[in-house]
Amino acid sequence: MPRKVTGPERTRPRRRRRRHTSLCALLLATLLTACGALTPGSARHAGDRPRAVPTSTALPDEDITLRLHFADAPEMVEALVAAFEKRHPRVTVEPRYTQFSDYVKNLRLTMVSDTAPDLAQYAVGMDDLAADGHLLDLARYRKAYGWRRDVPAVSLDQLSGGDRRGAGAGPLYGLPAGLSMTGVYYNKELASRAGIRQPPRTLREFEKQLATARRAGMTPLSVGALDSGGLHLWAALLNVLMPPGDYRDWVSGRPGATVETAAARKASALVTRWARAGYLDESANGMGQVDSTARFAEGKSVFLVNGNWAAGQLAGSLGEKSGFFAMPGVRRGDRAMASGFSVSYAVSSRTEHPEAAGAFLEFLTSPRAARIVSEHGFLPPDPRAVPTPTGLLGDVARGHRRVTADHGINHFPDFTAPGMLDPLRAGVQKLIADRVSPSGYLASLQEVWHEQHG
């Protein structure tokens, strides 16, 4: 989820050289999904014939232009593109950013058209595109470039097709550039002023800290529910209250799975209870996540639920005043859980430059790319590639490693179905406004689930 960026669509004109971009704050992040099995190089959509997948990693001796469509982390993408072009001066990458909801809505039309981009960021619906032959199987590049050596198996496995045979076998439909997770940012100075001395160790303790901040006359929790911020809050509560197996069965569409459970009702009820108690911004439903993050950066709230994609911005604005922790569980020592996945890129089966597209993906495994990813608040797929950062970025990195060690990364809830994002966001807004019951909200989500999974 996001893990989501708002703003107008941006394009960049074609050119041979590009100025170096400064390292900037990230906007918002990552919705991604693994893809179904597909014979290497096949294209089962009407009118197309199977394309042979080249195994050569040598680039043609000519000028090449690749078009890249994406929806997350524009500043990181700009920096990655500039570094790649410096390494391969005869290849130009034209990035095109689209606001996340529009990107997902138009993804299929974009990828099945004759003008499909060479590279595209993973998003909900990519599994169907892969099954229909619109994505290039990268298994041969995995072998040629040695990605099993350079990228942890768990990261490759998430993108290795619906059969889940593991990173060493089966199709591969993308490669990650950076890993994401959501959590809670806090302003150490405001927290101390309110009498809060340390990050909470349980969910109940966190709720008490919200009440403490409220009594101190502060806004406890900044939430931008107009787009994705409210959804991140609800998902964070769901992650620590709903058993991981039940949640993952629901997201993956396992027969008989449901979100209409007591744990999910409790998570939903907490959103409404916190809103009633004045723990959220009064204007939460009229404010996007970019705005809620900006308010937190200006010192107007004690806590903020957001993803690691905001870490660069907050580290720059608040410095040592800011910290980060994963949403705490019900009991001390509970398994660390968070929403997250990876910002990954796929290759269109229609590309005329598969070698160059493969070279771009290979660059994402390089130490240079790992540094760029880390400097923008994301986690490199291989955490050994860069030293653990300090300050807020260090908090985020350590939080991610803890969640990963506990096998606690859950897919974002909108991975459940291409049509799930809007009901999720609108439903959380209604929870905040106390216009829907937890049971009614969950029933609406399960209806969308049934439409997708039967």
Side-chain angles (χ1 to χ4, degrees):
M1 251 272 77
R3 123 180 146 119
K4 303 185 173 55
V5 187
T6 60
E9 183 176 284
R10 299 192 304 190
T11 60
R12 211 162 49 152
R14 183 176 306 183
R15 56 187 182 276
R16 284 290 105 206
R17 292 288 188 270
R18 191 170 282 107
R19 60 180 174 77
H20 291 290
T21 56
S22 59
L23 296 176
C24 304
L26 297 180
L27 299 181
L28 298 170
T30 62
L31 270 178
L32 310 161
T33 188
C35 298
L38 178 67
T39 303
S42 70
R44 294 201 294 268
H45 40 289
D48 282 351
R49 296 181 178 179
R51 178 191 296 276
V53 180
T55 56
S56 172
T57 60
L59 299 185
D61 186 21
E62 61 183 5
D63 291 342
I64 293 172
T65 297
L66 297 175
R67 292 177 299 121
L68 166 63
H69 287 198
F70 69 103
D72 285 320
E75 283 74 23
M76 184 178 78
V77 172
E78 292 273 344
L80 289 170
V81 165
F84 171 76
E85 290 179 336
K86 184 176 182 181
R87 179 171 296 187
H88 297 284
R90 299 202 67 178
V91 181
T92 292
V93 179
E94 294 181 346
R96 176 173 176 173
Y97 163 73
T98 303
Q99 194 271 342
F100 186 81
S101 60
D102 292 335
Y103 181 85
V104 173
K105 186 180 301 181
N106 297 315
L107 182 60
R108 184 167 186 85
L109 288 176
T110 299
M111 296 305 293
V112 303
S113 73
D114 291 335
T115 58
D118 302 277
L119 294 147
Q121 182 183 326
Y122 262 104
V124 174
M126 281 289 195
D127 50 350
D128 293 334
L129 288 169
D132 291 342
H134 299 294
L135 302 184
L136 194 67
D137 184 354
L138 304 169
R140 298 187 185 186
Y141 286 121
R142 175 179 59 203
K143 181 177 180 180
Y145 280 118
W147 288 340
R148 280 175 286 178
R149 177 192 64 243
D150 299 329
V151 182
V154 65
S155 296
L156 284 181
D157 191 34
Q158 291 176 324
L159 300 163
S160 292
D163 58 6
R164 293 295 186 273
R165 284 179 281 170
L172 178 68
Y173 296 113
L175 202 71
L179 307 179
S180 66
M181 68 169 282
T182 58
V184 185
Y185 293 92
Y186 67 106
N187 185 311
K188 296 178 182 179
E189 187 176 88
L190 292 182
S192 178
R193 194 183 306 166
I196 300 169
R197 305 302 178 193
Q198 63 183 12
R201 293 159 293 184
T202 66
L203 183 59
R204 179 59 178 159
E205 189 175 328
F206 181 45
E207 188 170 17
K208 288 181 177 179
Q209 290 184 354
L210 295 176
T212 297
R214 177 67 175 168
R215 287 194 299 270
M218 302 175 183
T219 298
L221 184 60
S222 189
V223 174
L226 187 60
D227 42 41
S228 304
L231 175 53
H232 290 323
L233 170 61
W234 177 76
L237 295 170
L238 192 66
N239 286 333
V240 299
L241 290 171
M242 189 172 181
D246 293 349
Y247 175 83
R248 292 167 183 175
D249 285 348
W250 182 69
V251 172
S252 64
R254 185 179 293 273
T258 181
V259 75
E260 295 183 85
T261 67
R265 283 192 292 273
K266 183 176 181 180
S268 304
L270 273 178
V271 174
T272 300
R273 186 165 88 195
W274 289 1
R276 286 176 181 169
Y279 297 164
L280 312 185
D281 289 289
E282 291 183 359
S283 57
N285 277 344
M287 180 169 54
Q289 191 163 302
V290 169
D291 297 324
S292 66
T293 302
R295 282 179 55 81
F296 176 80
E298 294 167 359
K300 295 181 179 179
S301 68
V302 181
F303 298 100
L304 168 74
V305 175
N306 205 336
N308 58 289
W309 48 85
Q313 173 187 352
L314 297 177
S317 58
L318 292 174
E320 297 300 319
K321 295 180 182 179
S322 57
F324 179 90
F325 58 88
M327 181 67 75
V330 175
R331 293 169 294 275
R332 292 188 190 184
D334 273 358
R335 181 178 180 180
M337 302 295 303
S339 297
F341 201 66
S342 61
V343 178
S344 303
Y345 303 99
V347 178
S348 168
S349 60
R350 290 176 169 81
T351 183
E352 296 180 358
H353 306 291
E355 298 93 343
F360 180 80
L361 297 182
E362 164 62 10
F363 173 74
L364 299 180
T365 70
S366 69
R368 176 63 181 138
R371 288 193 296 273
I372 291 171
V373 167
S374 180
E375 288 165 350
H376 284 80
F378 281 77
L379 295 309
D382 185 354
R384 301 167 300 178
V386 294
T388 300
T390 59
L392 176 61
L393 296 181
D395 284 354
V396 173
R398 285 185 290 273
H400 186 269
R401 289 173 186 175
R402 183 193 165 201
V403 173
T404 302
D406 282 355
H407 302 284
I409 292 291
N410 277 339
H411 288 336
F412 294 98
D414 50 311
F415 281 28
T416 308
M420 186 65 81
L421 181 59
D422 286 342
L424 281 166
R425 294 192 302 194
V428 172
Q429 285 188 307
K430 291 177 182 178
L431 287 174
I432 291 173
D434 203 4
R435 290 175 49 211
V436 69
S437 68
S439 294
Y441 169 58
L442 297 175
S444 70
L445 301 184
Q446 194 64 20
E447 183 178 346
V448 178
W449 187 94
H450 280 297
E451 291 174 359
Q452 176 70 18
H453 302 291

